[in-house]
């Protein structure tokens, strides 16, 4: 691969060994992190801590267990970090508080840490482990100076974290820890893909990633190259890739469990536009660099499938990733062009920047016809319009089955990767009716763009009774504590894996 980047140890980051300890914590340990939810009685708990570690801790008297509030108290031989989790702390707050703590304090943390988690809900153990490891995620993929004078926590060898749990069910605890760790490593893979610049992240690069991931984690991967796409008639995907020097491809991923306890077959179809400059209907140059993340739907789904394999879930999952670069070139598709598609239906191109729905048209139809999945889900950074509607706090869900919608919405709440349902009514069908072809890709109107895009994709699902479409344009990147600019979130991975677990 033509990059200095090593997939397994991103940026030479070293991750701590996390282990579980059962029973009372030893108060003479050298460095202890005490996560504290802002629940009834937490003040009493704090008093107990101060009693154990000396009462002279003025600073800590101000501590109110707010979300991401942290205070360090120094007892005789012990350093204690109080970490607030806020009110109503759930998985998302645990992950973010721990990620923030480890990311911002990494320069100061010692090699051996203990976490006092005896009084916490054991179900958040995976979130704690997940947050710790993500705290080490480093976006500086291509910085050349990698030898710091004073290595921080994630650059030191042999760092250890012991999590103290009191008397708990050890099997469940070990399982949760395993899940949290696997999730973090799979998420970092997906984040690396999204954060990767467009000159490196060609369609072939994504295909190579899938091939390697499949080999490593035990699932099957096939790639349809341009020749195969032509032979099999994926004209819509081909039409979007025509303006680029990098050929489009369709990445097929297939995870078959050793013993499937769930007989359902689920297909994931992802939008994998490695860069979206709009094509001939060119975007303006404001923030265009963010369009390297236009493969975030596919990225999240590829990460989710790797995670399914890492966890060995007992359900069959198929991935169909529609990968192309939407660029300008002499051969690029023009507004007004009409072409066919895998389904046989013809498409009139009104705006070449509405490319995602066009590649997904072939993806959903291909998944449906070739794999006959019980459930068909596509995920895409599809429209700016859903960002206008929901901002950066939730993805838009479009779904033709109530039970499926409820399950996805619930997984959104469970994981904090939230979804909000939008309508799929036929009242909006007019938006995609074309004078010259079966459908057109854009209504020409600056309204209800997210719904119109969903109605377009719906045509190519060929009435699949259990179809969901997730438009997560606002969720793929997030500004925050972990990078100066917006950076990848791996949105959708925890949501989809939680969904599969509860199916
Ligand atoms: N990739 C964009 C959508 C997008 C916008 C993702 C902002 C992330 C952040 C998509 O291909 C696009 O360009 N959509 C257009 C469609 C329009 C031309 C009909 C949009 O939403 O403006
Ligand atoms: Zn576009
Ligand atoms: Zn796009």
């Amino acid at each position: 691969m033509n990059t200095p980047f090593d997939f397994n140890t991103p940026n030479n980051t070293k991750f701590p060994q996390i282990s579980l300890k059962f029973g009372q914590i030893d108060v003479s340990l050298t460095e202890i992190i005490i996560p504290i939810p802002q629940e009834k009685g937490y003040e009493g708990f704090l008093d107990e801590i101060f009693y154990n570690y000396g009462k002279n801790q003025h600073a800590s008297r101000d501590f109110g267990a707010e979300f991401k509030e942290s205070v360090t108290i120094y007892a005789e031989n012990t350093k204690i970090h109080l970490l607030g989790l806020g009110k109503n702390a759930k998985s998302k707050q645990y992950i973010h508080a721990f990620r923030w703590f480890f990311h911002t304090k990494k320069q100061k943390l010692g090699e051996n840490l203990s976490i006092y988690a005896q009084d916490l809900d054991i179900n958040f153990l995976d979130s704690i482990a997940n947050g710790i490891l993500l705290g080490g995620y480093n976006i500086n993929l291509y910085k050349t100076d990698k030898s710091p004078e004073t290595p921080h926590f994630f650059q030191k060898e042999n760092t250890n974290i012991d999590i103290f749990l009191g008397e708990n069910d050890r099997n469940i605890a070990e399982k949760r820890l395993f899940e949290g760790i696997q999730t973090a490593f799979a998420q970092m893979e997906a984040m690396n893909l999204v954060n990767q610049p467009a000159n490196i992240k060609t369609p072939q690069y994504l295909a190579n990633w899938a091939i390697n991931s499949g080999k490593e984690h035990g699932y099957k991967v096939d790639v349809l190259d341009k020749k195969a796409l032509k032979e099999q008639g994926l004209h819509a995907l081909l039409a979007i890739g025509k303006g680029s020097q990098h050929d489009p491809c369709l990445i097929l991923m297939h995870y078959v469990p050793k013993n499937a306890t769930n007989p359902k077959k689920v297909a994931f179809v992802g939008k994998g536009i490695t860069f979206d400059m709009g094509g001939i209907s060119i975007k303006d140059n404001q923030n265009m660099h963010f369009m390297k993340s236009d493969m975030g739907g596919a990225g999240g789904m590829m990460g989710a499938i790797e995670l399914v394999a890492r966890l060995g879930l007992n359900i069959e999952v198929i991935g169909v990733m529609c990968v192309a670069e939407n660029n300008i070139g002499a051969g690029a598709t023009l507004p007004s062009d009409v072409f066919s598609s895998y389904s046989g239906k013809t498409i009139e191109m009104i705006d070449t920047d509405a490319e995602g729905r066009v590649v997904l048209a072939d993806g959903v139809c291909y998944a449906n016809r070739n794999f006959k999945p019980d459930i068909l889900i596509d995920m895409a950074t599809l429209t700016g319009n859903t960002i206008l509607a929901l901002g950066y706090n939730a993805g838009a869900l479009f779904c033709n089955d109530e039970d499926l919608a409820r399950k996805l919405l619930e997984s959104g709440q469970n994981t904090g990767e939230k979804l909000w349902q939008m309508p799929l009514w036929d009242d909006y069908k007019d938006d995609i009716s074309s004078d010259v072809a079966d459908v057109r890709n854009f209504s020409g109107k600056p309204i209800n763009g997210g719904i119109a895009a969903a109605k377009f994709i719906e045509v190519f699902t060929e009435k699949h009774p259990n179809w969901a479409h997730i438009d997560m344009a606002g969720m793929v990147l997030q500004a925050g504590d972990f990078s100066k600019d917006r950076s990848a979130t791996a949105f959708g991975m925890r949501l989809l894996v939680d969904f599969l677990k509860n199916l």
Side-chain angles (χ1 to χ4, degrees):
M1 222 160 283
N2 62 342
T3 104
F5 181 69
D6 178 334
F7 277 114
N8 294 319
T9 52
N11 218 16
N12 300 324
T13 300
K14 297 181 182 71
F15 292 99
Q17 183 69 43
I18 305 178
S19 343
L20 298 180
K21 291 269 157 24
F22 298 89
Q24 277 299 312
I25 194 164
D26 176 357
V27 290
S28 66
L29 289 164
T30 51
E31 193 165 358
I32 305 176
I33 299 162
I34 308 185
I36 305 180
Q38 201 183 46
E39 281 166 3
K40 224 172 62 207
Y42 83 88
E43 294 98 338
F45 176 65
L46 280 179
D47 284 345
E48 212 176 293
I49 296 168
F50 302 144
Y51 181 81
N52 278 331
Y53 294 104
K55 289 182 184 136
N56 254 343
Q57 304 293 350
H58 299 295
S60 53
R61 286 292 167 194
D62 296 335
F63 182 78
E66 299 287 340
F67 177 56
K68 292 203 302 194
E69 182 184 3
S70 163
V71 152
T72 303
I73 55 183
Y74 301 88
E76 209 160 325
N77 296 309
T78 310
K79 204 174 176 181
I80 298 128
H81 306 280
L82 305 179
L83 174 58
L85 298 170
K87 269 201 188 75
N88 259 324
K90 299 237 162 56
S91 153
K92 184 179 175 181
Q93 285 74 27
Y94 273 79
I95 293 174
H96 279 257
F98 272 92
R99 184 176 178 188
W100 168 82
F101 180 86
F102 275 84
H103 187 79
T104 54
K105 314 273 178 197
K106 58 180 182 273
Q107 214 65 251
K108 297 203 172 124
L109 294 173
E111 275 115 84
N112 295 301
L113 306 174
S114 305
I115 296 177
Y116 182 103
Q118 283 164 235
D119 304 322
L120 299 179
D121 183 344
I122 193 178
N123 286 312
F124 294 127
L125 186 56
D126 62 335
S127 303
I128 294 178
N130 191 231
I132 293 171
L133 297 176
L134 288 183
Y137 179 71
N138 190 342
I139 191 181
N140 305 332
L141 300 172
Y142 296 104
K143 289 226 189 247
T144 52
D145 185 6
K146 301 213 168 162
S147 48
E149 274 164 35
T150 44
H152 61 60
F153 185 76
F154 294 100
Q155 289 165 331
K156 288 181 197 160
E157 302 278 356
N158 303 321
T159 45
N160 281 301
I161 300 179
D162 290 333
I163 304 182
F164 285 80
L165 286 175
E167 292 307 328
N168 264 299
D169 185 327
R170 293 179 188 219
N171 288 338
I172 294 180
E174 293 291 354
K175 189 162 173 255
R176 292 272 177 282
L177 177 65
F178 176 76
E179 285 170 349
I181 293 171
Q182 295 305 316
T183 303
F185 285 121
Q187 282 172 314
M188 287 189 256
E189 293 286 330
M191 288 159 131
N192 279 334
L193 290 179
V194 171
N195 288 330
Q196 214 61 249
N199 62 330
I200 288 171
K201 181 174 50 192
T202 58
Q204 189 58 49
Y205 181 94
L206 288 186
N208 290 344
W209 181 92
I211 291 165
N212 289 335
S213 168
K215 271 191 202 136
E216 194 172 332
H217 301 287
Y219 60 90
K220 195 164 158 270
V221 176
D222 284 309
V223 179
L224 304 193
D225 62 7
K226 188 175 174 184
K227 189 162 155 274
L229 294 178
K230 278 191 177 151
E231 280 164 10
Q232 299 198 37
L234 284 86
H235 304 294
L237 177 56
L238 284 161
I240 299 303
K242 273 171 64 194
S244 169
Q245 59 174 327
H246 307 295
D247 289 342
C249 65
L250 193 77
I251 305 175
L252 303 172
M253 307 162 82
H254 197 166
Y255 169 77
V256 185
K258 295 215 171 63
N259 55 341
T261 49
N262 190 328
K264 290 209 176 87
K265 200 159 48 162
V266 182
F268 289 162
V269 181
K271 170 178 174 183
I273 298 298
T274 57
F275 192 77
D276 179 14
M277 60 97 69
I280 301 291
S281 316
I282 189 169
K283 286 185 185 295
D284 68 35
N285 60 11
Q286 258 240 306
N287 281 334
M288 205 206 266
H289 65 291
F290 287 140
M291 282 301 127
K292 70 178 182 180
S293 68
D294 209 22
M295 39 55 73
M301 285 179 147
M302 289 159 82
I305 292 171
E306 178 178 304
L307 181 52
V308 165
R310 281 172 176 262
L311 298 176
L313 293 195
N314 293 323
I315 183 163
E316 186 175 349
V317 184
I318 289 134
V320 176
M321 304 304 141
C322 315
V323 187
E325 185 186 81
N326 190 26
N327 206 335
I328 283 193
T333 294
L334 304 174
S336 88
D337 281 6
V338 173
F339 43 86
S340 186
S341 64
Y342 187 72
S343 75
K345 287 197 159 46
T346 53
I347 298 171
E348 180 188 14
M349 186 69 112
I350 303 293
D351 189 315
T352 65
D353 198 11
E355 83 296 342
R357 65 201 72 182
V358 176
V359 298
L360 288 172
D362 274 358
V364 291
C365 186
Y366 191 95
N368 204 5
R369 288 191 186 172
N370 291 280
F371 300 102
K372 312 232 172 319
D374 299 292
I375 293 172
L376 178 65
I377 302 177
D378 76 79
M379 187 162 81
T381 49
L382 208 63
T383 66
N385 181 254
T386 60
I387 310 182
L388 288 179
L390 299 171
Y392 298 109
N393 293 302
L397 173 69
F398 301 83
C399 189
N400 63 2
D401 179 78
E402 252 174 60
D403 189 47
L404 176 59
R406 187 181 47 77
K407 287 191 168 123
L408 284 164
L409 292 167
E410 266 172 26
S411 289
Q413 293 299 324
N414 291 345
T415 58
E417 296 187 340
K418 291 190 201 127
L419 296 175
W420 189 256
Q421 196 171 1
M422 310 273 246
L424 259 179
W425 302 314
D426 276 343
D427 307 58
Y428 295 98
K429 225 170 155 182
D430 248 12
D431 285 341
I432 55 161
S433 72
S434 161
D435 286 332
V436 298
D438 295 328
V439 283
R440 61 176 176 180
N441 77 331
F442 178 43
S443 67
K445 289 180 283 187
I447 53 171
N448 64 268
I451 306 172
K455 291 305 283 180
F456 182 94
I457 298 167
E458 182 186 41
V459 171
F460 299 89
T461 62
E462 303 188 307
K463 300 199 161 58
H464 191 292
N466 286 291
W467 164 63
H469 158 59
I470 298 171
D471 187 342
M472 33 76 84
M475 305 307 289
V476 63
L477 301 176
Q478 209 101 83
D481 301 319
F482 311 113
S483 55
K484 285 202 194 79
D485 218 338
R486 286 183 214 157
S487 68
T489 58
F491 179 89
M493 280 181 62
R494 291 177 57 255
L495 168 84
L496 291 172
V497 171
D498 184 83
F499 165 78
L500 292 174
K501 280 188 195 160
N502 293 317
L503 203 60

